[in-house]
Amino acid sequence: MRLRSRFALLFAGLSVAVALFLIWAIESGSLWTARGAVIVACVFLFFVGRAASRRFSRPIGELTEAASAIAAGERERELPRSGGEEIQALSAALQRMKNTLAREAERAESERRLAAMVFESLPDGLVVVDSKLHVLESNQRFSRMVGVAAPAGRALYDLLRHRELYELFESTLRSGTASQATVRLPDDAVWRVTVVPLPEQSRAAAVGVLADITQLERTEGMRRTFVADVSHELRTPIASIAAAAETLADGSPDAAETVDLVELIRRQTARIRELIEDLMDLAQIESGAVDLEREPVALVPLLREVAADLEGEAARRGITVAVAGEASARALADRRRLAQVIRNLLDNAIKFSPEGETVSLLAFTDAGSAGFEVADRGPGIPRAERERIFQRFYQVDRSRSKTRPGTGLGLAIVKHLVQLHGGSIEVESEVGKGSVFRVLLPGAPASA
């Protein structure tokens, strides 16, 4: 009985041991299976996550690359539209920002081009300098005025050789107030310079405007000279008239003296009237108010006609006027105005020729043009004064005006009328041997 009990216990123990072994074996197999499943799941999730990451990161990378390219200056680059809703929303926002920036950049470029165009089209020189008086910007007019093609970056002192110009910029930077001065340069040029300081926060320190007023100053000088000359020309006849009138009013002149005084008043009045008429005529011509009635004009007959008009004056001085030339010489001109040119030149030739001499009028043709010459045997004109004789009131020798009266405007009128016809006038002269005035005009067509 006891033995059976022991065997039963032993069998039961063995059964339990076998059951535990089986459980451990099953558990071990399940554990490796679970581990394998976990590993497989992790690898699967890794590849799934990697694929998902690529799916989201690729559009972001493309968007980033496109944005970087646009920021680098590729304005035509388009932003990608791929990706999810969030990526597409971000891409649309960046696209709107790009369009806005493009519009602003285009507007800024347009404003820059406009400013540059205005900057370059200014008639005056413009220069922008920094605090050390180095040129930052300038226009072409400034470059031409200083004679340097590329002034940018150079010191202002190297460009403005005249000390007074440079000191004007220095004074403006030192005082902080605008400065202006008119500077006369060694080559007779006159500049009006204005320098204005700029705000301290800006890169530039001052801007200078250089206006070349040389021609304006010359015109103003001519105006002053003209007024002085007119006053001088009027002073003598007015004084003569006043003296004669006082003598007639206060004195008791006899009949012969009265006649002389009246003749003096008549002569001086005629001189004033002639001066006024010449001044008005010259003013009309210079202003362009004269309308030419052009027609074919035969020069030889016109020269003879004018010579006949001045025959009396020539005879009083013992001057012979000889007319010659080509019968075919015909100019396309205003007959009345051309006769005025010939009359002024011939009148001068008669006045300045010694008694008993001959004044020659010669018509000619020259390569489609026509012209005439007026030659005298007068005192001649020095080479240095040949261009100046066409100025108003100019006299080679002021003392001549007392013996050979005139307004001093004849040659100025001649020059302007010839130029108005599209022609030219030249002077050949030798002191002591006389002068030749040669006028060249457009020729009239042969069929006209």
Side-chain angles (χ1 to χ4, degrees):
M1 190 69 181
R2 290 180 180 177
L3 184 60
R4 183 181 298 174
S5 298
R6 288 180 178 176
F7 277 111
L9 289 173
L10 180 61
F11 180 77
L14 290 173
S15 298
V16 171
V18 170
L20 287 176
F21 178 77
L22 291 175
I23 291 173
W24 287 343
I26 293 171
E27 182 180 1
S28 178
S30 300
L31 182 61
W32 283 108
T33 301
R35 288 175 179 174
V38 169
I39 292 172
V40 170
C42 289
V43 171
F44 175 76
L45 291 175
F46 170 76
F47 283 105
V48 169
R50 185 175 181 182
S53 175
R54 286 182 177 179
R55 179 183 177 187
F56 287 103
S57 64
R58 184 181 298 109
I60 293 177
E62 293 174 352
L63 192 61
T64 302
E65 181 185 357
S68 300
I70 293 172
E74 297 182 23
R75 297 181 181 179
E76 302 302 322
R77 182 75 172 267
E78 293 293 332
L79 292 168
R81 298 287 183 161
S82 59
E85 293 183 2
E86 294 81 0
I87 301 299
Q88 291 183 8
L90 177 59
S91 177
L94 289 177
Q95 184 66 40
R96 289 193 299 272
M97 183 175 67
K98 174 209 165 186
N99 294 338
T100 302
L101 291 177
R103 286 193 299 270
E104 293 299 326
E106 184 177 354
R107 186 182 295 110
E109 179 63 19
S110 176
E111 295 294 333
R112 188 197 65 78
R113 286 196 301 267
L114 177 61
M117 182 176 64
V118 173
F119 197 66
E120 290 298 335
S121 62
L122 288 175
D124 300 329
L126 204 65
V127 59
V128 181
V129 298
D130 60 15
S131 58
K132 295 182 179 179
L133 291 181
H134 284 76
V135 176
L136 298 177
E137 294 287 345
S138 66
N139 62 358
Q140 288 296 322
R141 177 59 178 160
F142 176 80
S143 300
R144 290 193 296 269
M145 291 178 72
V146 300
V148 178
R154 299 188 58 171
L156 196 63
Y157 181 78
D158 293 337
L159 304 174
L160 303 178
R161 300 290 183 174
H162 200 278
R163 182 63 185 174
E164 189 174 352
L165 294 172
Y166 185 75
E167 287 177 345
L168 198 63
F169 283 83
E170 286 184 327
S171 173
T172 298
L173 293 186
R174 188 166 50 249
S175 64
T177 58
S179 303
Q180 186 179 67
T182 299
V183 181
R184 298 185 179 276
L185 304 181
D187 58 353
D188 293 332
V190 184
W191 290 0
R192 179 180 291 128
V193 183
T194 304
V195 184
V196 180
L198 297 177
E200 296 182 359
Q201 296 81 5
S202 60
R203 183 170 65 100
V207 58
V209 180
L210 291 75
D212 189 344
I213 60 172
T214 305
Q215 189 59 42
L216 181 63
E217 284 290 307
R218 288 176 181 170
T219 303
E220 181 63 21
M222 291 175 62
R223 184 193 66 80
R224 290 192 295 265
T225 302
F226 174 74
V227 172
D229 287 338
V230 171
S231 301
H232 174 77
E233 293 296 328
L234 289 174
R235 185 180 294 113
T236 300
I238 289 175
S240 299
I241 293 172
E246 288 176 5
T247 303
L248 289 172
D250 300 336
S252 301
D254 55 25
E257 188 178 2
T258 299
V259 171
D260 291 340
L261 290 174
V262 171
E263 176 61 23
L264 174 64
I265 292 174
R266 186 198 63 77
R267 190 169 59 252
Q268 297 299 337
T269 303
R271 183 179 177 185
I272 293 175
R273 182 170 58 250
E274 183 183 1
L275 175 62
I276 293 174
E277 288 175 353
D278 281 351
L279 284 172
M280 293 178 65
D281 205 8
L282 183 60
Q284 270 192 320
I285 295 170
E286 289 183 336
S287 65
V290 175
D291 293 326
L292 299 179
E293 298 180 2
R294 299 176 187 268
E295 59 178 322
V297 178
L299 294 180
V300 172
L302 184 60
L303 292 173
R304 287 176 178 159
E305 180 183 321
V306 176
D309 292 341
L310 296 178
E311 185 178 359
E313 178 65 24
R316 279 192 295 272
R317 294 189 52 81
I319 303 297
T320 302
V321 179
V323 179
E326 302 176 31
S328 60
R330 300 202 307 168
L332 188 62
D334 185 309
R335 182 181 179 84
R336 185 176 70 85
R337 290 296 183 179
L338 186 54
Q340 184 179 4
V341 170
I342 299 171
R343 184 175 293 107
N344 284 346
L345 292 175
L346 181 56
D347 183 57
N348 277 352
I350 293 173
K351 286 178 181 177
F352 290 101
S353 291
E355 293 185 9
E357 291 290 348
T358 299
V359 173
S360 301
L361 301 180
L362 176 66
F364 62 88
T365 58
D366 181 17
S369 300
F372 61 90
E373 294 179 354
V374 179
D376 63 53
R377 301 294 184 271
I381 304 168
R383 181 179 298 274
E385 303 192 44
R386 290 178 192 171
E387 289 298 323
R388 302 179 65 188
I389 60 175
F390 294 102
Q391 296 176 6
R392 291 169 291 190
F393 300 111
Y394 184 77
Q395 295 280 352
V396 176
D397 184 356
R398 285 284 182 180
S399 63
R400 294 179 184 176
S401 61
K402 298 178 181 178
T403 59
R404 302 177 178 91
T407 63
L409 297 173
L411 289 180
I413 293 174
V414 165
K415 181 178 180 180
H416 282 87
L417 281 177
V418 170
Q419 291 178 341
L420 197 61
H421 278 84
S424 61
I425 182 168
E426 300 175 352
V427 183
E428 293 180 2
S429 183
E430 187 174 348
V431 176
K433 294 187 177 181
S435 305
V436 177
F437 287 80
R438 183 176 294 105
V439 175
L440 193 64
L441 300 166
S447 60

